[in-house]
Amino acid sequence: MNLNQQSKTAILFFAHSAQEEVKYKYLPKGEELFHTLTNSTLKSLVKTGLPYFHFSENQQIGATFGERFSNAIQAIFEKGFQKVITVGNDTPLLKSQHIVEAAEQLESRHVVLGPSLDGGFYLLGIHKTHFNREQFIDLPWQTSSIKKTILALVRSYNDTQVALLANLSDIDTREDVQRLFNFSSVLPQEIVQLFILILQEFVWITTRSFLIFRAKKYFIYFNKGSPSF
């Protein structure tokens, strides 16, 4: 990819601050985790050599997710770029190679999608010619059907070429952390250490809840025979 091609493509890093992220995703050590994930993602963005713009809650405009996301994409196009690649901060396995591949695919395709295992996506690359802000705003964002819906929308345009990247898992729940822990060998060490602390915390919470339940159960049992007056 030459510099002339690069100048037409920009990355939209659409991610809340760690403090804001934990309001929507409860995880022990959540703020520390998302702060680390943001820094890790930023390092990957720098490695691509592409220009990037970080839209946190302070730069996002709109009342709904659809409005904020669509407005952010539109803002990048208004800066003069012809292609935008969007990513977030909740996909630990996202590497600079995925973004570079998306940029390369956009040279011959109109849309590139990196699917998430939960039915969403961790990366969206799109040409300005195939982006309709009004239509994007009304899509069922943050649901398990968004991947299928967005693919159906862009494929409804004439002669649209779509490329799909590898499936990756993002982080919303403890189960996601547990699944991603299986990839510890390819994750940054600081993220792996946080995963261990998070999983240990969940074990402690589960054990403590069980012991409290058991204590209450036997307390009630031993008081069943209390004499009446």
Side-chain angles (χ1 to χ4, degrees), residues 21-105:
E21 196 76 53
V22 294
K23 295 179 181 178
Y24 307 97
K25 298 180 180 181
Y26 172 72
L27 287 168
K29 304 288 183 181
E31 188 170 325
E32 188 176 353
L33 174 64
F34 284 108
H35 177 74
T36 303
L37 287 171
T38 293
N39 289 337
S40 178
T41 305
L42 285 170
K43 290 178 183 177
S44 294
L45 301 188
V46 171
K47 288 180 181 178
T48 68
L50 294 168
Y52 66 89
F53 302 88
H54 185 184
F55 277 61
S56 71
E57 66 272 14
N58 297 320
Q59 289 77 36
Q60 297 172 19
I61 300 173
T64 66
F65 179 90
E67 290 177 353
R68 294 191 294 272
F69 187 54
S70 302
N71 287 337
I73 296 175
Q74 183 66 37
I76 304 302
F77 284 132
E78 289 175 356
K79 293 179 182 293
F81 296 98
Q82 298 301 308
K83 291 163 281 188
V84 173
I85 298 171
T86 72
V87 297
N89 67 344
D90 59 354
T91 309
L93 291 172
L94 176 68
K95 304 296 182 183
S96 58
Q97 296 94 308
H98 295 106
I99 302 170
V100 170
E101 181 184 353
E104 291 173 347
Q105 290 282 7

Side-chain angles (χ1 to χ4, degrees), residues 4 10 31-33 42 61 84 95 100-101 104 108 158 160 164-165 169 172 188 195 200 212 222:
N4 184 50
E31 188 170 325
E32 188 176 353
L33 174 64
L42 285 170
I61 300 173
V84 173
K95 304 296 182 183
V100 170
E101 181 184 353
E104 291 173 347
S108 57
N158 290 332
T160 300
L164 295 177
L165 303 181
S169 179
D172 294 305
F195 279 177
Q200 286 177 339
I212 290 174
F222 285 124

Side-chain angles (χ1 to χ4, degrees), residues 167-180:
N167 282 277
L168 297 180
S169 179
D170 55 15
I171 294 181
D172 294 305
T173 65
R174 179 200 67 182
E175 287 75 20
D176 296 328
V177 173
Q178 200 156 10
R179 184 186 308 112
L180 284 161

